[in-house]
Amino acid sequence: MPFLSDTLARVSPSPTVAVSQKAMELKAAGQDVIGLGAGEPDFDTPDNIKAAAIAAIEAGKTKYTAVDGIPEVKQAICAKFKRENGLDYTPSQVAVSTGGKQVLYNALMATLNPGDEVIIPAPYWVSYPDMVRLGGGEPVIVETTIDNGFRLTPEALEAAITPNTKWFIFNSPSNPTGAGYGHNQLKALTDVLMRHPHVWVMTDDMYEHLAYDGFQFCTPAQVEPGLYDRTLTVNGVSKSYAMTGWRIGYAAGPEHLIAAMRKLQSQSTTNPCSISQWATVEALNGPQEFLAERNEAFRKRRDLVVAGLNACEGITCAVPEGAFYVYPSIAGCIGKTSAGGTLIDTDEAFATALLEEHGVAVVFGAAFGLSPYFRVSYATSDEVLADACRRIQAFCAGLS
Ligand SMILES: Cc1ncc(COP(=O)(O)O)c(C=O)c1O
């Protein structure tokens, strides 16, 4: 009898781990390494949110709570959906979990059966395909192109739908590209979905507030109210409110789906952290002005990085609408050899040689399902970013 489960065998080890492992080894050996791999804001959680958590501790709000969230946080979430997205949800349509990741995991585990297909545009956030496989489903990867701004076309979506399609996972602004869908671009996709009533929509709106140059965020159920009854709108405080460590994500959708997710959660983690839930009430109901200030800093960094990367020979970098990532193409570097003697035949070889020869850690595109690219997280200081760009330029100039 094998010790490990067959389920585990369906999941591949994270390809990003190898890069971070290597970066840590080099750092430990005393090398000067710049990490551009982090998927979290470098800003701190705002003080008013921290104070709400401290007050919750002092008031003894440190016990188990209702499985999928205290009434106060559910109210705050309903108000947020109404205020920011024009969506009407009642508390019984809302689930709160330990991070956006658990929300997505619960939804997939609660609904997938063997043979169910889940459409995932590539490049994708690394966890989607593995979560689908864990649930016994089949990820159906549909590639986008840099020429389309890494946005899925309605034709490609239509072609990927089969009678077995259960979910379409949508993520805008995107990790890893930062690409955001404007109203008309999203409407073109929801028009396709309206023709296929058996397909459910899981929209991952984690980067909603991180958008630049006046980009107007929109979400599927808002753009097409006809999808309301088969859409799970997922969001969280991790990225917008710089609360990655607090582990709060939430979703709203049809009551029967939320009840199924609650049932699953009741047998795994029970409730999300009580203190973090109170902090989230403050995050959602409290002042929002800091978001615009932080976005201005992110936009400047994005512009600095895009310009720095486009100045590298062999690299082409699009200007994304949001998040804190860029996803440059290295098509012009493939087939060349680095100054240190590495043949750059894949984006993984590029990332490894860049780290070993110039001390910059980035995540290679194959990890996100679209090559030859790499992902840069620009959630770090201007000085560090400028230094990283200089090093990448030197690396590219050394390719022959
Ligand atoms: C697109 C996307 N969805 C979901 C998550 C998960 O967020 P959380 O930290 O709230 O679990 C992340 C985090 O990296 C993400 O990038």
Side-chain angles (χ1 to χ4, degrees):
M1 182 205 286
F3 177 61
L4 295 177
S5 73
D6 295 344
T7 306
L8 193 71
R10 291 201 290 268
V11 184
S12 40
S14 166
T16 55
V17 170
V19 179
S20 25
Q21 181 75 30
K22 183 93 194 165
M24 280 192 301
E25 280 168 21
L26 291 174
K27 259 190 189 162
Q31 277 211 31
D32 167 25
V33 174
I34 300 180
L36 300 181
E40 59 185 349
D42 55 326
F43 295 116
D44 199 4
T45 305
D47 287 342
N48 62 309
I49 299 174
K50 289 183 185 173
I54 293 165
I57 294 174
E58 284 173 352
K61 290 170 175 163
T62 53
K63 302 288 183 359
Y64 290 130
T65 72
V67 167
D68 61 0
I70 54 175
E72 290 82 353
V73 79
K74 288 192 170 199
Q75 283 295 353
I77 291 164
C78 291
K80 174 259 178 279
F81 278 126
K82 183 72 185 158
R83 178 178 73 238
E84 298 186 342
N85 312 111
L87 292 172
D88 285 300
Y89 288 113
T90 59
S92 60
Q93 291 177 285
V94 170
V96 189
S97 299
T98 303
K101 199 172 215 173
Q102 195 189 17
V103 174
L104 296 161
Y105 189 86
N106 283 347
L108 290 167
M109 293 308 129
T111 56
L112 290 179
N113 287 310
D116 286 351
E117 295 173 4
V118 179
I119 298 176
I120 304 172
Y124 44 70
W125 179 49
V126 290
S127 295
Y128 300 142
D130 281 313
M131 283 188 189
V132 169
R133 282 188 212 102
L134 271 174
E138 297 287 333
V140 174
I141 308 300
V142 186
E143 291 190 356
T144 62
T145 65
I146 192 169
D147 301 330
N148 262 329
F150 299 111
R151 279 181 284 267
L152 185 68
T153 62
E155 295 76 24
L157 174 60
E158 181 94 55
I161 295 173
T162 76
N164 295 328
T165 307
K166 182 156 270 173
W167 287 101
F168 165 52
I169 300 185
F170 178 73
N171 175 218
S172 162
S174 145
N175 177 3
T177 64
Y181 291 66
H183 181 277
N184 292 348
Q185 289 154 340
L186 181 50
K187 183 73 168 60
L189 297 184
T190 59
D191 284 351
V192 173
L193 294 163
M194 286 305 286
R195 293 197 285 277
H196 300 277
H198 67 291
V199 180
W200 281 65
V201 185
M202 193 175 294
T203 178
D204 180 344
D205 299 350
M206 292 297 290
Y207 294 92
E208 166 176 10
H209 294 114
L210 298 156
Y212 319 114
D213 303 333
F215 173 78
Q216 290 292 315
F217 170 85
C218 52
T219 189
Q222 170 190 29
V223 166
E224 177 47 83
L227 289 173
Y228 179 85
D229 289 334
R230 51 185 168 110
T231 296
L232 184 70
T233 304
V234 181
N235 212 315
V237 291
S238 299
K239 314 287 175 169
S240 303
Y241 297 92
M243 292 175 68
T244 46
W246 300 73
R247 310 309 302 129
I248 295 286
Y250 58 85
E255 223 172 282
H256 64 103
L257 171 60
I258 297 296
M261 291 161 61
R262 180 168 57 237
K263 185 172 165 188
L264 199 68
Q265 187 166 303
S266 75
Q267 296 296 10
S268 58
T269 54
T270 315
N271 59 277
C273 169
S274 59
I275 301 150
S276 300
Q277 290 186 64
W278 284 102
T280 299
V281 172
E282 174 62 19
L284 297 179
N285 290 345
Q288 306 290 310
E289 289 74 26
F290 75 96
L291 291 172
E293 287 158 28
R294 291 184 176 189
N295 274 3
E296 190 44 26
F298 275 134
R299 187 199 55 78
K300 280 193 189 138
R301 294 168 177 185
R302 178 203 62 175
D303 292 348
L304 187 157
V305 167
V306 169
L309 290 170
N310 278 324
C312 299
E313 213 171 312
I315 292 185
T316 311
C317 187
V319 183
E321 288 74 21
F324 38 72
Y325 309 106
V326 291
Y327 201 65
S329 162
I330 57 152
C333 303
I334 295 293
K336 295 188 175 173
T337 302
S338 73
T342 300
L343 172 66
I344 308 300
D345 53 351
T346 61
D347 48 30
E348 185 168 2
F350 179 97
T352 306
L354 176 64
L355 177 57
E356 285 174 351
E357 296 176 27
H358 288 269
V360 181
V362 297
V363 186
F364 54 91
F368 306 102
L370 194 74
S371 293
Y373 295 88
F374 65 93
R375 187 191 76 174
V376 165
S377 165
Y378 55 83
T380 186
S381 73
D382 293 10
E383 297 72 38
V384 169
L385 292 171
D387 186 9
C389 287
R390 273 193 297 275
R391 294 185 191 203
I392 300 171
Q393 282 162 18
F395 176 73
C396 289
L399 296 176
S400 56

